[in-house]
């Protein structure tokens, strides 16, 4: 005997909803430790320049959030993923759940912020990424934005172009 159309429709729709819910659950990344676990490393115990293993938790248009086992997830900015090719969107290079090696660039325990990079050591040294936030005012020859007027001619080296 054939199943009535209304029952078949209800059964198939129910299966579809269950598959959608399972698909949503599968998209969430399983962390090795719970977010508020006491086992997580405090930001004060991490030093800039330290290389750590991490897991990509989520991806945004400006970068990816990586869980390195600290009290907060670190931001891996789009500009810190690679220099080999242009990074239009982080999803072209990373996916949630990917295991990555990252280096701590900067952190602020009071603001609970953690900045990470995947760039090789040579690139970091060349671009002075690790120390660019500790600028000596007397040795800094950069021009401030308020010193530039419309139609001023500027000379320099273009390091990187983004959209």
């Amino acid at each position: 005997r054939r199943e009535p159309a209304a029952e078949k429709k209800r059964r198939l729709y129910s299966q579809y909803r269950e598959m959608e819910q399972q698909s949503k659950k599968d998209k969430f990344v399983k962390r090795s430790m719970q977010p508020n676990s006491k086992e997580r490393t405090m930001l004060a115990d991490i030093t800039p320049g330290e290389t750590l293993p991490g897991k990509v938790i989520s991806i945004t248009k400006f970068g990816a959030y990586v869980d390195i086992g600290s009290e907060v997830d670190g931001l891996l900015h789009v500009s810190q993923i690679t220099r080999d090719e242009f990074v239009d969107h982080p999803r072209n290079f990373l996916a949630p759940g990917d295991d990555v090696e990252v280096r701590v660039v900067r952190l602020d325990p009071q603001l609970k912020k953690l900045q990470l990079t995947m760039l090789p050591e040579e690139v970091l040294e060349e671009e002075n990424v690790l120390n660019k936030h500790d600028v000596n005012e007397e040795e800094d020859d950069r021009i401030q934005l308020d010193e530039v007027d419309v139609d001023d001619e500027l000379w320099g080296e273009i390091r990187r172009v983004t959209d």
Side-chain angles (χ1 to χ4, degrees):
R1 156 173 179 223
R2 288 182 50 166
E3 180 179 20
E7 284 183 30
K8 183 176 182 180
K9 182 177 179 181
R10 194 174 313 118
R11 182 177 54 82
L12 290 174
Y13 184 68
S14 175
Q15 286 177 345
Y16 171 76
R17 279 200 336 250
E18 287 174 14
M19 287 175 27
E20 283 290 311
Q21 288 173 347
Q22 187 61 41
S23 173
K24 252 186 182 176
K25 287 179 186 175
D26 292 343
K27 288 181 184 176
F28 289 112
V29 175
K30 308 289 187 277
R31 296 175 185 256
S32 57
M33 290 183 265
Q34 292 299 320
N36 296 327
S37 171
K38 298 288 183 193
E39 299 169 19
R40 290 192 165 271
T41 308
M42 301 299 289
L43 282 181
D45 298 336
I46 299 173
T47 57
E50 193 173 347
T51 302
L52 302 162
K55 181 176 269 197
V56 176
I57 297 300
S58 65
I59 299 211
T60 64
K61 64 182 177 184
F62 54 84
Y65 286 97
V66 179
D67 180 11
I68 60 168
S70 67
E71 57 185 313
V72 296
D73 294 337
L75 174 63
L76 177 61
H77 192 264
V78 119
S79 66
Q80 300 297 313
I81 294 174
T82 184
R83 289 286 192 268
D84 296 336
E85 48 188 294
F86 179 72
V87 180
D88 186 37
H89 197 284
R91 73 172 163 252
N92 299 339
F93 294 86
L94 302 167
D98 284 357
D99 291 319
V100 293
E101 276 293 308
V102 291
R103 185 176 294 114
V104 177
V105 174
R106 181 170 61 139
L107 56 95
D108 189 343
Q110 286 81 25
L111 295 176
K112 302 256 189 246
K113 290 190 175 187
L114 180 62
Q115 183 180 346
L116 306 170
T117 184
M118 284 176 56
L119 298 177
E121 189 71 35
E122 307 83 57
V123 174
L124 294 175
E125 289 173 4
E126 178 184 314
E127 296 183 6
N128 199 21
V129 171
L130 294 175
N131 300 323
K132 79 176 185 181
H133 302 288
D134 303 329
V135 176
N136 185 349
E137 296 291 328
E138 296 169 9
E139 296 177 11
D140 188 18
D141 61 345
R142 294 181 293 180
I143 300 171
Q144 297 299 317
L145 192 57
D146 58 357
E147 297 174 9
V148 179
D149 294 324
V150 176
D151 296 328
D152 277 358
E153 288 186 17
L154 301 174
W155 298 90
E157 177 182 338
I158 298 175
R159 296 264 177 123
R160 187 179 34 200
V161 179
T162 62
D163 63 348

